Amino acid sequence: NIDGADPDIVTAAAEVPDIRRIKWNQHWLPRYFYQHIYVPMLYCFLGIKTRLQDFYILFTLKNSTIRVNPPTTTQWLMFLCGKMTHLTMRFIIPYQFMPLTSLLLYN
């Protein structure tokens, strides 16, 4: 976990501070006093962020400060098949057994 090198740990940016304080040498902001309350709730959205970030990384070929090699055709196929499988398992199959409002509410 090296700040500026690890794409998961971006705390060095002073103009856009992180929503959570995870290191002792990170600049203190008053909002960090209540992070034990709001950060666990924000982690509920981490799955959505990760799934959207996958596309961003694939099209920009960058993961924060790390350059990513262009994917091969096989890797593109694996990526798209994985995303389609997730979409099928989480939305298409459940939609066959429950109304759309319940599906969106519970997913």
Side-chain angles (χ1 to χ4, degrees):
N1 292 334
I2 300 170
D3 203 10
D6 188 351
D8 294 331
I9 310 294
V10 182
T11 59
E15 63 276 355
V16 184
D18 196 15
I19 195 79
R20 67 219 155 106
R21 184 170 189 243
I22 56 174
K23 298 186 304 186
W24 289 108
N25 60 352
Q26 189 176 347
H27 182 69
W28 171 261
L29 294 173
R31 70 175 176 219
Y32 296 144
F33 187 73
Y34 296 105
Q35 78 177 11
H36 67 286
I37 297 169
Y38 67 81
V39 169
M41 290 183 262
L42 288 177
Y43 275 128
C44 297
F45 298 104
L46 187 61
I48 296 169
K49 177 207 173 261
T50 303
R51 287 179 183 86
L52 295 176
Q53 188 178 25
D54 289 346
F55 286 102
Y56 179 78
I57 292 168
L58 199 61
F59 288 113
T60 62
L61 299 178
K62 280 183 71 175
N63 186 1
S64 186
T65 58
I66 299 173
R67 187 183 63 81
V68 178
N69 292 331
T72 63
T73 305
T74 305
Q75 290 168 334
W76 266 104
L77 266 168
M78 288 175 60
F79 176 79
L80 292 175
C81 286
K83 294 298 180 183
M84 291 305 294
T85 301
H86 177 264
L87 185 70
T88 302
M89 298 293 286
R90 294 293 290 182
F91 294 102
I92 295 173
I93 292 174
Y95 182 63
Q96 306 301 314
F97 301 101
M98 64 175 56
L100 182 62
T101 54
S102 296
L103 178 69
L104 295 176
L105 183 65
Y106 297 124
N107 254 336

